[in-house]
Amino acid sequence: MSLFVDSFKKMLKGRVLNIGCYGSTMFDYLYQESLLQKFYLEGLDIVTSSLEKNVHKGDALQMHYKKKFNFIVAGELIEHFTSKQAKTFLNKCNEALTDDGVLIISTPNKNAWSNRLFHKFDTANPKEYSGHEKVYFKDELVEFLCSNNFSIKDVYLLPYDIFSSPNKKAWIYCLRKKIDIIIGFFGLDDLKEQMVIICMKTSTRNTD
């Protein structure tokens, strides 16, 4: 089981929006969970739609929903935005959430051991979608979220797995997990590769 999904799946209830779900193993898993836990799941992606799974094509920077969501899950998305776009994105999430709504973000950790060695998070430019515009340190992202009307509930530092970085060979995830276990044993959690931040909406004030 994915440590990433385990960090938040039991929280999900009501209406859930998964943004940036194209090619996402996580969305397929959440879709099955929605059938078991009986929460409503909707997907939004700029690349494609899948009507049978309630995925709609659209831009996260322009999204508008009449009916609010209790949870928004945005896995490996915010790093594809510039700082200005990220601010717009958080404002749109704020508008789309209920008053007690929760935003769940995962993103590469700029301070990660692998990024320190290879800088691949800084320069990632996959062919099938836009590359990374801005990669965050943990404290930097926490401060950015707080300054845009979200309060931090939990922060997790985890290894990458298939739910957060699909289309790689299985042994790669196994190796990364072992490295992160060793890092944690020496108290170096800040060097782990993936950040998961669970935060709550604190205001509906427009931040543009």
Side-chain angles (χ1 to χ4, degrees):
M1 182 52 60
S2 166
L3 294 173
F4 169 35
V5 177
D6 271 354
S7 68
F8 67 83
K9 73 172 187 176
K10 292 181 180 179
M11 300 173 57
L12 300 180
K13 61 182 179 181
R15 290 172 53 83
V16 179
L17 176 65
N18 183 198
I19 303 176
C21 54
Y22 172 66
S24 171
T25 306
M26 182 182 70
F27 181 83
D28 292 337
Y29 180 80
L30 290 179
Y31 180 75
Q32 295 301 319
E33 281 292 304
S34 73
L35 301 179
L36 295 173
Q37 297 187 40
K38 298 182 180 178
F39 58 81
Y40 170 85
L41 178 66
E42 186 169 333
L44 178 72
D45 197 279
I46 199 169
V47 177
T48 189
S49 61
S50 176
L51 295 181
E52 68 273 15
K53 289 187 177 180
N54 207 22
V55 177
H56 303 284
K57 188 174 181 178
D59 189 343
L61 302 180
Q62 300 178 14
M63 63 179 177
H64 176 73
Y65 292 95
K66 292 183 178 179
K67 193 167 183 181
K68 308 291 186 180
F69 291 91
N70 302 97
F71 290 84
I72 292 178
V73 181
E76 311 308 296
L77 178 64
I78 198 170
E79 66 273 13
H80 295 282
F81 296 143
T82 64
S83 295
K84 183 177 180 180
Q85 289 172 330
K87 187 178 180 70
T88 299
F89 169 67
L90 293 179
N91 188 40
K92 289 295 183 181
C93 288
N94 198 294
E95 291 175 354
L97 285 166
T98 58
D99 289 342
D100 59 349
V102 175
L103 173 64
I104 301 168
I105 286 181
S106 73
T107 190
N109 175 16
K110 189 171 184 176
N111 196 47
W113 64 269
S114 55
N115 196 53
R116 284 176 166 229
L117 290 174
F118 307 112
H119 297 282
K120 288 189 175 181
F121 296 165
D122 296 337
T123 59
N125 188 27
K127 294 179 180 179
E128 63 269 25
Y129 54 87
S130 63
H132 291 179
E133 293 286 348
K134 180 173 175 55
V135 184
Y136 297 85
F137 294 106
K138 181 185 69 174
D139 291 345
E140 179 186 17
L141 183 54
V142 165
E143 182 179 350
F144 186 62
L145 288 165
C146 291
S147 67
N148 284 277
N149 302 320
F150 286 94
S151 61
I152 307 303
K153 188 173 187 289
D154 287 301
V155 178
Y156 300 97
L157 290 159
L158 305 170
Y160 270 108
D161 60 28
I162 196 170
F163 283 82
S164 52
S165 181
N167 304 321
K168 295 184 184 297
K169 295 180 180 179
W171 69 266
I172 294 177
Y173 301 118
C174 183
L175 176 62
R176 284 175 148 174
K177 184 175 181 180
K178 287 182 178 179
I179 291 173
D180 275 29
I181 289 172
I182 294 170
I183 286 172
F185 181 77
F186 287 100
L188 300 173
D189 285 342
D190 281 354
L191 297 181
K192 292 186 176 182
E193 293 185 284
Q194 183 188 38
M195 299 187 291
V196 179
I197 300 182
I198 300 174
C199 50
M200 299 186 67
K201 171 179 174 176
T202 58
S203 173
T204 58
R205 179 174 58 85
N206 192 302
T207 59
D208 283 347

